[in-house]
Amino acid sequence: MDIGFRICKRERIAPKPLIEAYAKVPVANVSDSMSRMTAAGSRLRPMHKSGGMAGAALTVRARPGDNLMFQKAIDMAEPGDIIVVDAGGDLTNALMGELMLAYAITRGVAGFVINGAIRDVDAFVETNLPTFAAGVTHRGPYKDGPGEINVPISIDGMVIEPGDIIIGDSDGVLCVPLDDAEEVLAKAKAKHEAETNQMQKIADGKNDRSWVDAALKAKGCLFP
């Protein structure tokens, strides 16, 4: 296969029960459980109305402004997939709009992560299919390639392998490597439980703030 025009098979894919478990945990808690070292960049913002997403990554590497392989990826998508497109972050041309969105819904696509632009934003808000993109423009795409499907890609330093777990909510998008998914999930659930308990203590007026002064004293801070 020629580099630039190749379609690969996913060798592995995250199991459905694991994906469903991640759907119940805030992205921020998962991020903290990955040592705050991974992120897809603050430019990727939700273009839908509300709600989170969780699914297995179907990856696309595309030439900026071109959606030929992106189109093919929708044809290949399995129900529950998150299509993740690295188009270099270029915002000159939109990579998808309402026609592709409508077709993707019939395919059972669970969401999109697009390191590029979209158009027809009202359709994304109305259908509310989770979609995260770097921007919006009315200028449409080209359909010439090159591009690749189911290859490792990277968005702002975050590496995504085909079949990895992709999650997203109002705070942004995160990829959890499949090899680390069980360990990260256990940590994220524990952190979410701890924060839930802390919120209750705040509501009850029993929140312990002694750690703030302790941290300042440890840094040698002078107090009045």
Side-chain angles (χ1 to χ4, degrees):
M1 292 183 290
D2 292 333
I3 293 177
F5 282 95
R6 56 184 174 184
I7 299 173
C8 304
K9 292 183 179 180
R10 282 186 291 197
E11 299 298 329
R12 302 186 304 164
I13 186 169
K16 187 176 180 180
L18 191 57
I19 291 171
E20 291 174 346
Y22 267 97
K24 300 174 184 178
V25 185
V27 171
N29 290 153
V30 180
S31 179
D32 286 352
S33 300
M34 295 174 67
S35 298
R36 306 181 177 97
M37 291 290 289
T38 303
S42 58
R43 286 207 308 164
L44 292 181
R45 301 306 306 155
M47 298 294 171
H48 56 292
K49 185 176 181 180
S50 63
M53 70 177 185
L58 194 167
T59 62
V60 180
R61 180 183 293 133
R63 178 173 67 87
D66 190 285
N67 76 357
L68 178 61
M69 281 297 185
F70 188 2
Q71 296 271 3
K72 179 59 179 176
I74 299 178
D75 290 339
M76 295 172 56
E78 299 177 7
D81 279 348
I82 305 292
I83 298 180
V84 187
V85 184
D86 175 23
D90 182 78
L91 304 180
T92 306
N93 298 84
L95 295 179
M96 75 174 295
E98 62 181 344
L99 295 178
M100 290 176 68
L101 175 63
Y103 175 52
I105 291 173
T106 71
R107 296 287 302 167
V109 173
F112 292 99
V113 178
I114 303 171
N115 192 19
I118 65 168
R119 67 178 180 179
D120 303 324
V121 177
D122 289 347
F124 288 87
V125 174
E126 182 179 350
T127 62
N128 204 34
L129 182 72
T131 301
F132 296 78
V136 177
T137 179
H138 54 79
R139 295 176 61 173
Y142 298 99
K143 295 174 172 57
D144 303 307
E148 299 177 332
I149 297 175
N150 283 329
V151 296
I153 61 174
S154 175
I155 300 177
D156 202 35
M158 184 180 76
V159 177
I160 304 104
E161 297 273 358
D164 280 349
I165 295 175
I166 303 295
I167 57 176
D169 60 22
S170 296
D171 286 333
V173 173
L174 182 62
C175 174
V176 183
L178 191 50
D179 287 338
D180 302 324
E182 294 281 2
E183 178 184 354
V184 171
L185 178 62
K187 292 180 178 179
K189 289 170 71 174
K191 182 169 181 59
H192 184 47
E193 182 178 354
E195 289 191 356
T196 301
N197 291 336
Q198 187 176 354
M199 284 292 290
Q200 186 60 53
K201 290 180 180 178
I202 292 173
D204 294 339
K206 298 178 180 179
N207 190 34
D208 182 7
R209 301 290 296 169
S210 61
W211 68 270
V212 178
D213 285 352
L216 290 171
K217 289 176 181 177
K219 297 293 183 180
C221 180
L222 297 176
F223 287 77

